[in-house]
Amino acid sequence: MPHRRRSRVEAHFRALVICRGQEFEVWMHNLSLTGMKFRQPDETILSAGDVCKVRIPLADDVVVRAEATVARTDEHLAALDFTAIDPDSYPHLLNMVRYASENPDAIEKEQLHIPFDESASKDI
């Protein structure tokens, strides 16, 4: 298994996941600058490789928007790898992770390596 390159923090934010033509609300278990893990709704079964869109509402006019691929699942949890993120969303995601981290300086050091290719940051 490859070594994780980004800090993962415990996070309990509400998110909307759109996958396989379905939109469902989830509560995150954890979050990083490149993905998230959440409990799958009982009626939803995602599979590794599924392509999804993610919306994390923070305020009426502030929403983190990303595209993601399902990295792995079990019968209760799903892990998503973000494949692209709206450029206006990234600072909010960074602040969410930094705020929840026990070591915000480590999050800052991770910024030396941009997690997404700019060409991937299309209109999400």
Side-chain angles (χ1 to χ4, degrees):
M1 176 175 268
H3 177 68
R4 184 171 290 124
R5 295 179 311 222
R6 302 288 173 185
S7 297
R8 182 178 293 171
V9 297
E10 186 174 327
H12 301 284
F13 294 98
R14 182 176 69 92
L16 298 173
V17 176
I18 301 104
C19 198
R20 293 184 175 179
Q22 296 180 322
E23 179 175 319
F24 47 94
E25 184 176 273
V26 300
W27 285 94
M28 285 182 227
H29 281 225
N30 61 48
L31 178 67
S32 75
L33 296 176
T34 57
M36 63 185 241
K37 185 184 280 186
F38 60 90
R39 181 173 179 80
Q40 294 194 75
D42 292 335
E43 70 281 358
T44 305
I45 306 229
L46 298 176
S47 299
D50 286 348
V51 175
C52 306
K53 291 188 182 282
V54 177
R55 307 286 181 263
I56 307 169
L58 302 178
D60 287 341
D61 59 343
V62 179
V63 178
V64 173
R65 299 174 189 279
E67 290 184 353
T69 301
V70 177
R72 64 195 160 282
T73 64
D74 63 27
E75 72 179 77
H76 301 293
L77 298 174
L80 301 182
D81 287 335
F82 297 148
T83 55
I85 189 161
D86 174 64
D88 293 334
S89 295
Y90 188 76
H92 298 296
L93 178 63
L94 174 60
N95 285 334
M96 293 165 69
V97 173
R98 192 177 354 190
Y99 179 76
S101 175
E102 292 179 9
N103 186 356
D105 291 338
I107 306 302
E108 288 303 315
K109 288 180 184 174
E110 291 175 11
Q111 297 313 293
L112 297 175
H113 304 286
I114 306 284
F116 301 99
D117 179 352
E118 288 214 22
S119 65
S121 301
K122 52 190 178 249
D123 188 27
I124 299 173

